[in-house]
Each structure stands twice: as C-alpha cells, then as structure tokens.
Amino acid sequence: MIRTKGEAGTGNVVEAVRHMRTMNREIRQLIAMPAEEVTGFAKVNGIPYELALKVKELGRLPVVNFAAGGSPPRPMRR
C-alpha cells in the first residue's frame, strides 16, 4: 500500500493531490520510455529495478493507494 500524503490534520488536500499527480506523471514517463532507460529511471527515483519493470508492464502501481482526508475535527469546547 502507498499512502498519498498531505498535511496531517489540516483538511488541506492540495498536497495530497499534488503528490498523486506527481506519481501519475512519473508512471506515464516510465510507461513511455524505452526498456534501456528503465535502469536509469529506477536509480534516479530510488526504486528497485524490478518494481520499475512491473509498473511499466502493468501501467500502474502494483499496490493500492490510500488517501485519507477530509475536514479536521472542530476543537473541543470547555
């Protein structure tokens, strides 16, 4: 499972959306690149070569995405 990150407790989903868009853009780049360039892509992005090949083959991450969010709770009143 991969967690799309945002700023915890803020209810602001902008960072989570930005993170998801970055991941999708890099997956599209990986899918489109020639097989000879996958090694370099994996090294630059710090991922195992086998994982990069699997993502290229599937066209998506081989895991589910977890994105939590919503509005932060109201402060408790005393």
Side-chain angles (χ1 to χ4, degrees), residues 4-66:
T4 304
K5 62 182 184 176
E7 263 192 71
T10 64
N12 183 353
V13 296
V14 173
E15 287 301 316
V17 170
R18 187 174 293 139
H19 184 229
M20 194 69 215
R21 286 182 178 166
T22 299
M23 289 183 352
N24 286 337
R25 183 181 65 246
E26 290 177 354
I27 290 169
R28 284 192 304 272
Q29 289 172 350
L30 180 58
I31 292 168
M33 73 178 45
E36 302 81 43
E37 295 179 19
V38 174
T39 303
F41 179 88
K43 191 171 191 176
V44 166
N45 287 285
I47 61 173
Y49 174 71
E50 293 78 16
L51 177 59
L53 286 179
K54 189 71 167 176
V55 171
K56 183 172 175 57
E57 173 190 329
L58 294 174
R60 61 175 177 79
L61 291 173
V63 295
V64 296
N65 177 54
F66 172 74

Short mmCIF file of all heavy atoms in Angstrom, two decimals, residues 4-66:
data_model
loop_
_atom_site.label_atom_id
_atom_site.label_comp_id
_atom_site.label_asym_id
_atom_site.label_seq_id
_atom_site.Cartn_x
_atom_site.Cartn_y
_atom_site.Cartn_z
N THR A 4 -0.87 8.37 -0.10
CA THR A 4 -0.75 9.68 -0.70
C THR A 4 -0.73 10.69 0.43
O THR A 4 -1.65 10.73 1.23
CB THR A 4 -1.93 9.96 -1.64
OG1 THR A 4 -1.99 8.91 -2.60
CG2 THR A 4 -1.74 11.26 -2.37
N LYS A 5 0.33 11.44 0.51
CA LYS A 5 0.49 12.28 1.69
C LYS A 5 -0.02 13.70 1.48
O LYS A 5 0.03 14.25 0.40
CB LYS A 5 1.95 12.32 2.12
CG LYS A 5 2.88 12.92 1.07
CD LYS A 5 4.31 12.87 1.55
CE LYS A 5 5.19 13.57 0.52
NZ LYS A 5 6.55 13.64 0.96
N GLY A 6 -0.52 14.24 2.56
CA GLY A 6 -0.93 15.63 2.61
C GLY A 6 -0.45 16.14 3.95
O GLY A 6 0.33 15.47 4.64
N GLU A 7 -0.91 17.29 4.36
CA GLU A 7 -0.54 17.77 5.69
C GLU A 7 -1.53 17.26 6.71
O GLU A 7 -2.70 17.59 6.65
CB GLU A 7 -0.45 19.29 5.71
CG GLU A 7 0.98 19.73 5.52
CD GLU A 7 1.16 21.19 5.81
OE1 GLU A 7 1.09 21.58 6.99
OE2 GLU A 7 1.39 21.90 4.84
N ALA A 8 -1.05 16.47 7.61
CA ALA A 8 -1.91 15.82 8.60
C ALA A 8 -2.68 16.83 9.44
O ALA A 8 -2.13 17.81 9.92
CB ALA A 8 -1.07 14.93 9.50
N GLY A 9 -3.97 16.57 9.58
CA GLY A 9 -4.81 17.36 10.47
C GLY A 9 -5.25 18.71 9.95
O GLY A 9 -5.97 19.43 10.62
N THR A 10 -4.86 19.07 8.72
CA THR A 10 -5.22 20.39 8.22
C THR A 10 -6.50 20.37 7.41
O THR A 10 -7.14 21.40 7.25
CB THR A 10 -4.11 20.97 7.32
OG1 THR A 10 -3.98 20.14 6.16
CG2 THR A 10 -2.79 21.06 8.06
N GLY A 11 -6.86 19.22 6.85
CA GLY A 11 -8.01 19.17 5.97
C GLY A 11 -7.68 19.71 4.58
O GLY A 11 -8.51 19.73 3.69
N ASN A 12 -6.44 20.14 4.38
CA ASN A 12 -6.00 20.70 3.11
C ASN A 12 -5.53 19.55 2.22
O ASN A 12 -4.51 18.92 2.50
CB ASN A 12 -4.87 21.70 3.36
CG ASN A 12 -4.39 22.37 2.08
OD1 ASN A 12 -4.80 22.01 0.99
ND2 ASN A 12 -3.54 23.36 2.23
N VAL A 13 -6.26 19.29 1.15
CA VAL A 13 -5.93 18.15 0.30
C VAL A 13 -5.02 18.54 -0.86
O VAL A 13 -4.67 17.70 -1.68
CB VAL A 13 -7.20 17.48 -0.25
CG1 VAL A 13 -8.02 16.89 0.87
CG2 VAL A 13 -8.03 18.43 -1.07
N VAL A 14 -4.62 19.79 -0.93
CA VAL A 14 -3.79 20.27 -2.04
C VAL A 14 -2.50 19.47 -2.15
O VAL A 14 -2.10 19.05 -3.24
CB VAL A 14 -3.48 21.78 -1.90
CG1 VAL A 14 -2.49 22.24 -2.94
CG2 VAL A 14 -4.77 22.58 -1.99
N GLU A 15 -1.82 19.24 -1.03
CA GLU A 15 -0.56 18.49 -1.07
C GLU A 15 -0.78 17.04 -1.49
O GLU A 15 0.03 16.48 -2.23
CB GLU A 15 0.14 18.54 0.29
CG GLU A 15 0.76 19.88 0.61
CD GLU A 15 1.81 20.30 -0.41
OE1 GLU A 15 2.64 19.47 -0.82
OE2 GLU A 15 1.80 21.48 -0.80
N ALA A 16 -1.85 16.43 -1.04
CA ALA A 16 -2.14 15.05 -1.43
C ALA A 16 -2.41 14.96 -2.93
O ALA A 16 -1.93 14.04 -3.60
CB ALA A 16 -3.33 14.51 -0.64
N VAL A 17 -3.16 15.91 -3.47
CA VAL A 17 -3.44 15.93 -4.91
C VAL A 17 -2.15 16.16 -5.69
O VAL A 17 -1.90 15.49 -6.69
CB VAL A 17 -4.50 17.01 -5.24
CG1 VAL A 17 -4.62 17.20 -6.75
CG2 VAL A 17 -5.84 16.64 -4.63
N ARG A 18 -1.32 17.07 -5.22
CA ARG A 18 -0.04 17.34 -5.88
C ARG A 18 0.84 16.09 -5.90
O ARG A 18 1.46 15.76 -6.91
CB ARG A 18 0.68 18.49 -5.17
CG ARG A 18 1.92 18.96 -5.87
CD ARG A 18 2.52 20.18 -5.21
NE ARG A 18 1.60 21.33 -5.38
CZ ARG A 18 1.34 22.21 -4.44
NH1 ARG A 18 1.91 22.14 -3.26
NH2 ARG A 18 0.52 23.21 -4.67
N HIS A 19 0.87 15.37 -4.78
CA HIS A 19 1.65 14.15 -4.69
C HIS A 19 1.13 13.09 -5.66
O HIS A 19 1.90 12.43 -6.37
CB HIS A 19 1.61 13.63 -3.24
CG HIS A 19 2.45 12.44 -2.99
ND1 HIS A 19 1.98 11.33 -2.34
CD2 HIS A 19 3.74 12.16 -3.29
CE1 HIS A 19 2.93 10.43 -2.26
NE2 HIS A 19 4.01 10.91 -2.83
N MET A 20 -0.19 12.94 -5.73
CA MET A 20 -0.79 11.95 -6.63
C MET A 20 -0.51 12.30 -8.09
O MET A 20 -0.20 11.42 -8.90
CB MET A 20 -2.30 11.89 -6.37
CG MET A 20 -2.97 10.71 -6.97
SD MET A 20 -2.45 9.21 -6.12
CE MET A 20 -2.43 8.08 -7.49
N ARG A 21 -0.60 13.58 -8.43
CA ARG A 21 -0.31 13.99 -9.81
C ARG A 21 1.14 13.74 -10.18
O ARG A 21 1.44 13.33 -11.30
CB ARG A 21 -0.65 15.47 -10.00
CG ARG A 21 -2.14 15.72 -10.06
CD ARG A 21 -2.45 17.17 -10.29
NE ARG A 21 -3.89 17.34 -10.39
CZ ARG A 21 -4.51 18.50 -10.32
NH1 ARG A 21 -3.80 19.61 -10.14
NH2 ARG A 21 -5.82 18.57 -10.43
N THR A 22 2.04 13.97 -9.24
CA THR A 22 3.47 13.70 -9.48
C THR A 22 3.68 12.21 -9.73
O THR A 22 4.39 11.83 -10.67
CB THR A 22 4.32 14.16 -8.28
OG1 THR A 22 4.14 15.57 -8.12
CG2 THR A 22 5.79 13.84 -8.49
N MET A 23 3.07 11.38 -8.90
CA MET A 23 3.21 9.93 -9.09
C MET A 23 2.65 9.50 -10.44
O MET A 23 3.30 8.73 -11.17
CB MET A 23 2.49 9.17 -7.96
CG MET A 23 3.19 9.28 -6.64
SD MET A 23 2.48 8.35 -5.27
CE MET A 23 0.97 7.69 -5.83
N ASN A 24 1.47 9.99 -10.82
CA ASN A 24 0.87 9.63 -12.10
C ASN A 24 1.73 10.09 -13.27
O ASN A 24 1.89 9.36 -14.26
CB ASN A 24 -0.54 10.20 -12.22
CG ASN A 24 -1.53 9.46 -11.35
OD1 ASN A 24 -1.33 8.30 -11.00
ND2 ASN A 24 -2.61 10.13 -10.99
N ARG A 25 2.31 11.29 -13.17
CA ARG A 25 3.18 11.81 -14.24
C ARG A 25 4.41 10.92 -14.40
O ARG A 25 4.79 10.56 -15.52
CB ARG A 25 3.59 13.25 -13.93
CG ARG A 25 4.45 13.87 -15.03
CD ARG A 25 4.87 15.30 -14.72
NE ARG A 25 5.76 15.32 -13.56
CZ ARG A 25 5.47 15.88 -12.38
NH1 ARG A 25 4.32 16.48 -12.19
NH2 ARG A 25 6.34 15.86 -11.40
N GLU A 26 5.01 10.52 -13.29
CA GLU A 26 6.21 9.68 -13.36
C GLU A 26 5.89 8.27 -13.85
O GLU A 26 6.70 7.66 -14.55
CB GLU A 26 6.91 9.67 -12.01
CG GLU A 26 7.54 11.02 -11.69
CD GLU A 26 8.19 11.08 -10.33
OE1 GLU A 26 8.08 10.12 -9.54
OE2 GLU A 26 8.82 12.12 -10.05
N ILE A 27 4.71 7.77 -13.53
CA ILE A 27 4.30 6.46 -14.05
C ILE A 27 4.12 6.54 -15.56
O ILE A 27 4.57 5.65 -16.29
CB ILE A 27 3.01 5.97 -13.36
CG1 ILE A 27 3.31 5.59 -11.90
CG2 ILE A 27 2.40 4.78 -14.11
CD1 ILE A 27 2.08 5.34 -11.05
N ARG A 28 3.50 7.62 -16.05
CA ARG A 28 3.34 7.79 -17.51
C ARG A 28 4.70 7.88 -18.20
O ARG A 28 4.89 7.33 -19.28
CB ARG A 28 2.49 9.03 -17.82
CG ARG A 28 1.01 8.84 -17.58
CD ARG A 28 0.18 9.98 -18.16
NE ARG A 28 0.58 11.28 -17.66
CZ ARG A 28 0.10 11.85 -16.54
NH1 ARG A 28 -0.79 11.22 -15.81
NH2 ARG A 28 0.52 13.05 -16.18
N GLN A 29 5.65 8.59 -17.59
CA GLN A 29 7.00 8.68 -18.15
C GLN A 29 7.64 7.30 -18.24
O GLN A 29 8.24 6.96 -19.26
CB GLN A 29 7.89 9.59 -17.29
CG GLN A 29 7.55 11.04 -17.35
CD GLN A 29 8.35 11.86 -16.33
OE1 GLN A 29 9.02 11.31 -15.47
NE2 GLN A 29 8.25 13.17 -16.44
N LEU A 30 7.49 6.53 -17.19
CA LEU A 30 8.07 5.19 -17.15
C LEU A 30 7.46 4.29 -18.22
O LEU A 30 8.17 3.55 -18.90
CB LEU A 30 7.87 4.58 -15.76
CG LEU A 30 8.41 3.18 -15.52
CD1 LEU A 30 9.91 3.12 -15.78
CD2 LEU A 30 8.09 2.73 -14.11
N ILE A 31 6.15 4.35 -18.37
CA ILE A 31 5.46 3.52 -19.37
C ILE A 31 5.95 3.85 -20.78
O ILE A 31 6.14 2.96 -21.60
CB ILE A 31 3.94 3.72 -19.26
CG1 ILE A 31 3.43 3.14 -17.95
CG2 ILE A 31 3.22 3.08 -20.44
CD1 ILE A 31 2.01 3.56 -17.62
N ALA A 32 6.16 5.13 -21.05
CA ALA A 32 6.53 5.58 -22.39
C ALA A 32 8.00 5.38 -22.74
O ALA A 32 8.35 5.37 -23.92
CB ALA A 32 6.17 7.06 -22.55
N MET A 33 8.86 5.20 -21.74
CA MET A 33 10.29 5.15 -22.03
C MET A 33 10.73 3.79 -22.57
O MET A 33 10.13 2.76 -22.25
CB MET A 33 11.12 5.56 -20.82
CG MET A 33 11.19 4.57 -19.71
SD MET A 33 12.24 5.11 -18.32
CE MET A 33 11.79 6.77 -18.06
N PRO A 34 11.79 3.79 -23.37
CA PRO A 34 12.35 2.53 -23.87
C PRO A 34 12.90 1.69 -22.71
O PRO A 34 13.32 2.22 -21.68
CB PRO A 34 13.48 2.96 -24.79
CG PRO A 34 13.34 4.42 -24.99
CD PRO A 34 12.50 4.95 -23.89
N ALA A 35 12.90 0.39 -22.89
CA ALA A 35 13.35 -0.54 -21.85
C ALA A 35 14.78 -0.25 -21.40
O ALA A 35 15.12 -0.48 -20.23
CB ALA A 35 13.24 -1.97 -22.35
N GLU A 36 15.62 0.26 -22.29
CA GLU A 36 17.02 0.53 -21.95
C GLU A 36 17.16 1.65 -20.91
O GLU A 36 18.17 1.74 -20.23
CB GLU A 36 17.83 0.93 -23.19
CG GLU A 36 17.83 -0.08 -24.31
CD GLU A 36 16.57 0.01 -25.17
OE1 GLU A 36 16.12 1.11 -25.52
OE2 GLU A 36 16.04 -1.06 -25.49
N GLU A 37 16.16 2.52 -20.81
CA GLU A 37 16.25 3.65 -19.89
C GLU A 37 15.64 3.38 -18.51
O GLU A 37 15.74 4.21 -17.62
CB GLU A 37 15.55 4.87 -20.52
CG GLU A 37 16.24 5.37 -21.77
CD GLU A 37 15.52 6.56 -22.39
OE1 GLU A 37 14.72 7.21 -21.70
OE2 GLU A 37 15.76 6.82 -23.58
N VAL A 38 15.03 2.22 -18.34
CA VAL A 38 14.36 1.90 -17.08
C VAL A 38 15.36 1.83 -15.93
O VAL A 38 15.07 2.28 -14.82
CB VAL A 38 13.54 0.59 -17.20
CG1 VAL A 38 12.97 0.17 -15.86
CG2 VAL A 38 12.43 0.76 -18.22
N THR A 39 16.54 1.29 -16.17
CA THR A 39 17.55 1.20 -15.12
C THR A 39 17.90 2.58 -14.57
O THR A 39 17.95 2.78 -13.36
CB THR A 39 18.83 0.52 -15.66
OG1 THR A 39 18.49 -0.76 -16.17
CG2 THR A 39 19.87 0.37 -14.57
N GLY A 40 18.14 3.52 -15.46
CA GLY A 40 18.46 4.89 -15.04
C GLY A 40 17.31 5.54 -14.29
O GLY A 40 17.51 6.22 -13.28
N PHE A 41 16.08 5.34 -14.77
CA PHE A 41 14.90 5.89 -14.10
C PHE A 41 14.78 5.33 -12.69
O PHE A 41 14.53 6.07 -11.74
CB PHE A 41 13.64 5.55 -14.91
CG PHE A 41 12.37 6.06 -14.30
CD1 PHE A 41 11.91 7.33 -14.59
CD2 PHE A 41 11.64 5.27 -13.43
CE1 PHE A 41 10.73 7.80 -14.03
CE2 PHE A 41 10.46 5.74 -12.86
CZ PHE A 41 10.01 7.01 -13.16
N ALA A 42 14.98 4.03 -12.55
CA ALA A 42 14.89 3.39 -11.23
C ALA A 42 15.95 3.95 -10.29
O ALA A 42 15.67 4.23 -9.12
CB ALA A 42 15.03 1.88 -11.37
N LYS A 43 17.15 4.13 -10.80
CA LYS A 43 18.24 4.63 -9.96
C LYS A 43 17.98 6.07 -9.51
O LYS A 43 18.14 6.40 -8.34
CB LYS A 43 19.55 4.54 -10.74
CG LYS A 43 20.77 4.78 -9.92
CD LYS A 43 22.01 4.47 -10.72
CE LYS A 43 23.21 4.45 -9.82
NZ LYS A 43 24.42 4.06 -10.51
N VAL A 44 17.55 6.92 -10.43
CA VAL A 44 17.29 8.33 -10.12
C VAL A 44 16.15 8.46 -9.10
O VAL A 44 16.21 9.30 -8.20
CB VAL A 44 16.94 9.12 -11.41
CG1 VAL A 44 16.35 10.47 -11.09
CG2 VAL A 44 18.18 9.26 -12.28
N ASN A 45 15.13 7.61 -9.23
CA ASN A 45 13.96 7.71 -8.35
C ASN A 45 14.08 6.84 -7.10
O ASN A 45 13.16 6.83 -6.27
CB ASN A 45 12.70 7.36 -9.12
CG ASN A 45 12.32 8.47 -10.08
OD1 ASN A 45 11.83 9.50 -9.68
ND2 ASN A 45 12.61 8.26 -11.36
N GLY A 46 15.17 6.10 -6.98
CA GLY A 46 15.41 5.31 -5.77
C GLY A 46 14.45 4.15 -5.58
O GLY A 46 14.06 3.85 -4.46
N ILE A 47 14.07 3.52 -6.69
CA ILE A 47 13.17 2.36 -6.60
C ILE A 47 13.88 1.13 -7.16
O ILE A 47 14.76 1.25 -8.01
CB ILE A 47 11.84 2.59 -7.35
CG1 ILE A 47 12.07 2.84 -8.85
CG2 ILE A 47 11.05 3.73 -6.74
CD1 ILE A 47 10.81 2.91 -9.67
N PRO A 48 13.51 -0.05 -6.69
CA PRO A 48 14.12 -1.26 -7.24
C PRO A 48 13.81 -1.41 -8.73
O PRO A 48 12.71 -1.11 -9.18
CB PRO A 48 13.47 -2.40 -6.44
CG PRO A 48 12.94 -1.75 -5.21
CD PRO A 48 12.59 -0.35 -5.60
N TYR A 49 14.79 -1.90 -9.47
CA TYR A 49 14.64 -2.10 -10.91
C TYR A 49 13.45 -3.00 -11.23
O TYR A 49 12.68 -2.73 -12.15
CB TYR A 49 15.94 -2.68 -11.48
CG TYR A 49 15.86 -3.06 -12.93
CD1 TYR A 49 15.80 -2.08 -13.91
CD2 TYR A 49 15.84 -4.39 -13.32
CE1 TYR A 49 15.73 -2.42 -15.25
CE2 TYR A 49 15.77 -4.74 -14.66
CZ TYR A 49 15.70 -3.75 -15.62
OH TYR A 49 15.62 -4.09 -16.95
N GLU A 50 13.27 -4.05 -10.44
CA GLU A 50 12.18 -5.00 -10.68
C GLU A 50 10.82 -4.32 -10.52
O GLU A 50 9.87 -4.62 -11.25
CB GLU A 50 12.26 -6.20 -9.73
CG GLU A 50 13.47 -7.09 -9.96
CD GLU A 50 14.76 -6.51 -9.38
OE1 GLU A 50 14.70 -5.58 -8.54
OE2 GLU A 50 15.83 -6.99 -9.78
N LEU A 51 10.72 -3.40 -9.57
CA LEU A 51 9.47 -2.66 -9.36
C LEU A 51 9.20 -1.75 -10.56
O LEU A 51 8.07 -1.65 -11.03
CB LEU A 51 9.53 -1.84 -8.08
CG LEU A 51 8.30 -0.97 -7.78
CD1 LEU A 51 7.04 -1.81 -7.68
CD2 LEU A 51 8.52 -0.18 -6.50
N ALA A 52 10.23 -1.09 -11.06
CA ALA A 52 10.07 -0.22 -12.22
C ALA A 52 9.58 -1.03 -13.43
O ALA A 52 8.69 -0.59 -14.16
CB ALA A 52 11.38 0.48 -12.55
N LEU A 53 10.13 -2.22 -13.62
CA LEU A 53 9.68 -3.08 -14.72
C LEU A 53 8.22 -3.49 -14.54
O LEU A 53 7.45 -3.52 -15.51
CB LEU A 53 10.55 -4.34 -14.81
CG LEU A 53 11.95 -4.15 -15.37
CD1 LEU A 53 12.69 -5.49 -15.38
CD2 LEU A 53 11.90 -3.58 -16.78
N LYS A 54 7.84 -3.81 -13.31
CA LYS A 54 6.46 -4.22 -13.02
C LYS A 54 5.48 -3.08 -13.29
O LYS A 54 4.42 -3.28 -13.89
CB LYS A 54 6.35 -4.70 -11.57
CG LYS A 54 5.05 -5.33 -11.23
CD LYS A 54 4.95 -6.69 -11.89
CE LYS A 54 3.80 -7.47 -11.32
NZ LYS A 54 3.61 -8.74 -11.99
N VAL A 55 5.85 -1.87 -12.88
CA VAL A 55 4.99 -0.70 -13.12
C VAL A 55 4.87 -0.45 -14.62
O VAL A 55 3.79 -0.18 -15.13
CB VAL A 55 5.55 0.55 -12.40
CG1 VAL A 55 4.81 1.81 -12.82
CG2 VAL A 55 5.45 0.36 -10.89
N LYS A 56 5.97 -0.57 -15.34
CA LYS A 56 5.95 -0.39 -16.79
C LYS A 56 5.05 -1.43 -17.45
O LYS A 56 4.27 -1.11 -18.34
CB LYS A 56 7.37 -0.48 -17.34
CG LYS A 56 7.48 -0.23 -18.84
CD LYS A 56 8.93 -0.15 -19.25
CE LYS A 56 9.10 -0.03 -20.74
NZ LYS A 56 8.42 1.11 -21.34
N GLU A 57 5.13 -2.65 -16.99
CA GLU A 57 4.32 -3.74 -17.55
C GLU A 57 2.83 -3.56 -17.25
O GLU A 57 1.99 -3.71 -18.14
CB GLU A 57 4.80 -5.08 -16.95
CG GLU A 57 3.96 -6.27 -17.31
CD GLU A 57 4.37 -7.49 -16.48
OE1 GLU A 57 5.54 -7.61 -16.11
OE2 GLU A 57 3.47 -8.32 -16.20
N LEU A 58 2.50 -3.21 -16.00
CA LEU A 58 1.10 -3.09 -15.59
C LEU A 58 0.46 -1.77 -16.02
O LEU A 58 -0.76 -1.68 -16.18
CB LEU A 58 0.98 -3.21 -14.06
CG LEU A 58 1.33 -4.54 -13.43
CD1 LEU A 58 1.29 -4.43 -11.91
CD2 LEU A 58 0.36 -5.61 -13.91
N GLY A 59 1.29 -0.73 -16.12
CA GLY A 59 0.77 0.59 -16.42
C GLY A 59 0.20 1.29 -15.19
O GLY A 59 -0.52 2.28 -15.29
N ARG A 60 0.52 0.78 -14.03
CA ARG A 60 0.05 1.33 -12.75
C ARG A 60 0.94 0.78 -11.65
O ARG A 60 1.74 -0.11 -11.89
CB ARG A 60 -1.39 0.95 -12.48
CG ARG A 60 -1.59 -0.57 -12.38
CD ARG A 60 -3.00 -0.96 -12.00
NE ARG A 60 -3.17 -2.39 -11.98
CZ ARG A 60 -2.79 -3.21 -11.01
NH1 ARG A 60 -2.18 -2.73 -9.96
NH2 ARG A 60 -3.00 -4.51 -11.09
N LEU A 61 0.76 1.30 -10.44
CA LEU A 61 1.49 0.74 -9.30
C LEU A 61 0.90 -0.62 -8.96
O LEU A 61 -0.31 -0.82 -9.06
CB LEU A 61 1.37 1.66 -8.08
CG LEU A 61 2.09 2.99 -8.17
CD1 LEU A 61 1.74 3.85 -6.97
CD2 LEU A 61 3.58 2.79 -8.26
N PRO A 62 1.72 -1.57 -8.53
CA PRO A 62 1.20 -2.90 -8.19
C PRO A 62 0.65 -2.98 -6.77
O PRO A 62 0.54 -4.05 -6.20
CB PRO A 62 2.45 -3.80 -8.34
CG PRO A 62 3.58 -2.89 -8.02
CD PRO A 62 3.17 -1.53 -8.53
N VAL A 63 0.31 -1.84 -6.19
CA VAL A 63 -0.24 -1.77 -4.84
C VAL A 63 -1.43 -0.82 -4.82
O VAL A 63 -1.62 -0.04 -5.75
CB VAL A 63 0.82 -1.28 -3.82
CG1 VAL A 63 1.96 -2.27 -3.69
CG2 VAL A 63 1.34 0.08 -4.19
N VAL A 64 -2.22 -0.86 -3.76
CA VAL A 64 -3.34 0.06 -3.65
C VAL A 64 -2.85 1.40 -3.09
O VAL A 64 -1.82 1.47 -2.44
CB VAL A 64 -4.46 -0.51 -2.73
CG1 VAL A 64 -5.05 -1.76 -3.34
CG2 VAL A 64 -3.95 -0.77 -1.33
N ASN A 65 -3.61 2.44 -3.37
CA ASN A 65 -3.30 3.77 -2.88
C ASN A 65 -4.25 4.10 -1.73
O ASN A 65 -5.46 3.90 -1.84
CB ASN A 65 -3.47 4.80 -4.00
CG ASN A 65 -3.23 6.20 -3.52
OD1 ASN A 65 -2.19 6.49 -2.94
ND2 ASN A 65 -4.18 7.06 -3.73
N PHE A 66 -3.71 4.61 -0.64
CA PHE A 66 -4.51 5.03 0.50
C PHE A 66 -4.42 6.54 0.60
O PHE A 66 -3.33 7.08 0.77
CB PHE A 66 -4.01 4.37 1.79
CG PHE A 66 -4.66 4.90 3.02
CD1 PHE A 66 -5.96 4.56 3.33
CD2 PHE A 66 -3.97 5.75 3.87
CE1 PHE A 66 -6.56 5.06 4.47
CE2 PHE A 66 -4.56 6.25 5.02
CZ PHE A 66 -5.87 5.91 5.31
#
